[in-house]
Amino acid sequence: MTAPTAPPELVQLLTPEGERIEHPDYDIDLTAEEVRSLYRDLVLVRRVDLEAVALQRQGELGLWASLLGQEAAQVGSGRALTDADMAFPTYREHGVAWCRGVDPLHLLGLFRGVNHGGWDPYEHNFHLYTIVIGSQTLHSVGYAMGIQRDGAEAATIVYFGDGATSQGDVNEAFIWASVFNAPVVFFCQNNQWAISEPLEKQSKIPLYKRASGFGFPGIRVDGNDVFACLAVTRAALRNAREGQGPTLVEAFTYRMGAHTTSDDPTRYRVADELEAWKLKDPIERVKAYLFKNQLADQEFFDKIDAEADLLGKDLRARCLALPDPQPGAIFDHVYAEPHALLAEEREQFTTYLAGFEGAQ
Ligand SMILES: Cc1ncc(C[n+]2csc(CCOP(=O)(O)OP(=O)(O)O)c2C)c(N)n1
Ligand SMILES: [Mg+2]
């Protein structure tokens, strides 16, 4: 029996119903163990996210940007990276952070306001979160040009949203990457919304088609299909490492939650849209695939759910136990080398603090 073919314009290897389909250019051969492991990632990442939303609602975090619905785009692309590759995230890439081995506690610390950046970018080759829309695309191209000159067998991947594609920085990054053939993968998670602005306010053409105007390939992948995201990103990274330059990957997905916990999407989008995307849930389709092909039984799914609950519980406890930073810590990582002006400012600030009653 021949497998049904993928719809045009969208690389899909696993349908929402959990059927494997063929693609002429992008295929992937995953063992049962690998599929189970991807499923575990998806579930655990969603659990981290849900716990963080709950913590914010209870006043324990200042803000949270949920990844709900975007788990496959993040886990698929995150698992495509090698240790030597460098990832540049926005503020929503909790799933990529997970794949890189960053302790989710660091993410919570940032949104709790008790650390001033989060983590050491070189420890897991996962750069700091960037709130300034699109600026990380330039950082990533610069970094890619650096490793290109070092002759490293590595690439960078940079994450950004559909809204960010309207930003000047992103378009400048495309040009630099193109003309210098930089080893970078532009990974755009098109979640259909930029806060309250819909996709049609960003582009009249599909986003992946923008790449051709800059002189490099663009491809649209089903962002709710973890197999396809893995296959497409793996190929794009390999091309970059082999000197074939950048690729724009548009992961077509949906932001199931609010933009951040400060946002109320019921003010600007209809419930039907959300209901339609629920049917394309990235986790359910892998579960259906595992079940149908008898690659996992109920005991496996129960075990993962129990692990997720434990993870959530542990994360919550560690989040609540995070110490407040010393006020002077804000000066710690401003410059890599000692800096006279900063030292003077630190001194002034310390004296100022010491003037308060009960100050240590
Ligand atoms: C330079 C800049 N302009 C505006 C903002 C405010 N802002 C924060 S998130 C956002 C929308 C981003 O949408 P998108 O790129 O689609 O990413 P998503 O949040 O959907 O993941 C905007 C405009 C900002 N942070 N930086
Ligand atoms: Mg968006």
Side-chain angles (χ1 to χ4, degrees):
M1 197 183 84
T2 38
T5 49
E9 283 213 333
L10 182 87
V11 179
Q12 188 183 65
L13 300 178
L14 187 65
T15 68
E17 294 73 36
E19 298 289 345
R20 269 295 263 124
I21 50 176
E22 308 277 336
H23 192 281
D25 303 321
Y26 297 94
D27 210 8
I28 198 160
D29 202 9
L30 294 165
T31 64
E33 190 48 47
E34 283 168 331
V35 180
R36 285 192 292 263
S37 162
L38 287 171
Y39 176 81
R40 174 176 174 270
D41 281 337
L42 295 170
V43 171
L44 297 188
V45 156
R46 180 170 287 185
R47 190 65 172 83
V48 166
D49 189 69
L50 285 177
E51 197 66 40
V53 172
L55 281 163
Q56 195 286 331
R57 290 292 183 241
Q58 292 156 4
E60 300 295 347
L61 301 180
L63 183 78
W64 185 254
S66 169
L67 63 52
L68 191 65
Q70 298 177 217
E71 296 87 350
Q74 297 194 12
V75 168
S77 60
R79 286 289 172 223
L81 294 162
T82 65
D83 287 349
D85 296 335
M86 182 62 137
F88 290 78
T90 70
Y91 39 76
R92 206 186 288 286
E93 271 68 68
H94 323 310
V96 185
W98 172 266
C99 294
R100 297 309 270 164
V102 175
D103 184 343
L105 185 70
H106 295 317
L107 311 178
L108 297 191
L110 184 67
F111 287 98
R112 192 171 165 83
V114 298
N115 69 41
H116 300 128
W119 48 91
D120 175 355
Y122 292 107
E123 202 178 327
H124 300 284
N125 272 9
F126 183 73
H127 216 265
L128 298 183
Y129 273 4
T130 310
I131 313 286
V132 183
I133 299 299
S135 64
Q136 73 281 5
T137 53
L138 286 169
H139 307 160
S140 120
V141 171
Y143 192 96
M145 289 171 64
I147 55 177
Q148 182 183 44
R149 278 148 188 75
D150 291 344
E153 263 188 46
T156 69
I157 186 166
V158 57
Y159 293 87
F160 54 99
D162 42 295
T165 62
S166 301
Q167 200 74 22
D169 282 7
V170 176
N171 291 272
E172 289 161 20
F174 286 174
I175 293 168
W176 276 80
S178 172
V179 298
F180 287 98
N181 214 39
V184 52
V185 174
F186 294 106
F187 195 91
C188 177
Q189 284 170 90
N190 175 1
N191 64 8
Q192 315 297 322
W193 291 93
I195 315 184
S196 54
E197 286 295 295
L199 178 65
E200 58 265 27
K201 288 285 184 296
Q202 311 294 345
S203 187
K204 283 199 148 188
I205 59 162
L207 293 176
Y208 75 94
K209 289 194 171 171
R210 292 253 182 102
S212 73
F214 291 91
F216 54 88
I219 180 137
R220 179 181 268 181
V221 58
D222 180 346
N224 286 16
D225 172 354
V226 73
F227 297 173
C229 288
L230 178 59
V232 166
T233 315
R234 204 178 253 173
L237 285 165
R238 192 182 51 234
N239 289 345
R241 284 188 219 102
E242 289 175 356
Q244 295 178 49
T247 302
L248 170 62
V249 177
E250 177 192 357
F252 201 76
T253 180
Y254 191 73
R255 195 196 77 207
M256 299 294 286
H259 170 68
T260 66
T261 46
S262 300
D263 172 47
D264 173 8
T266 62
R267 301 281 296 270
Y268 56 82
R269 67 184 190 187
V270 295
D272 282 4
E273 190 179 288
L274 185 66
E275 291 309 311
W277 278 92
K278 272 187 192 164
L279 302 173
K280 302 179 190 172
D281 188 89
I283 301 186
E284 288 308 314
R285 68 178 76 183
V286 182
K287 189 173 190 175
Y289 172 79
L290 283 168
F291 249 136
K292 264 185 214 164
N293 294 284
Q294 298 177 343
L295 301 174
D297 53 15
Q298 192 54 46
E299 199 187 328
F300 167 80
F301 295 113
D302 291 346
K303 211 180 93 204
I304 300 290
D305 286 346
E307 188 182 355
D309 283 345
L310 258 183
L311 175 68
K313 209 171 153 191
D314 172 68
L315 194 57
R316 163 174 292 267
R318 290 193 299 137
C319 176
L320 299 184
L322 279 171
D324 285 343
Q326 289 300 314
I330 192 77
F331 294 97
D332 283 352
H333 301 291
V334 180
Y335 290 105
E337 304 289 332
H339 190 282
L341 179 62
L342 198 73
E344 195 183 307
E345 287 176 355
R346 183 199 288 262
E347 189 56 41
Q348 276 173 7
F349 188 61
T350 311
T351 312
Y352 167 75
L353 285 177
F356 287 95
E357 211 180 321
Q360 291 153 354

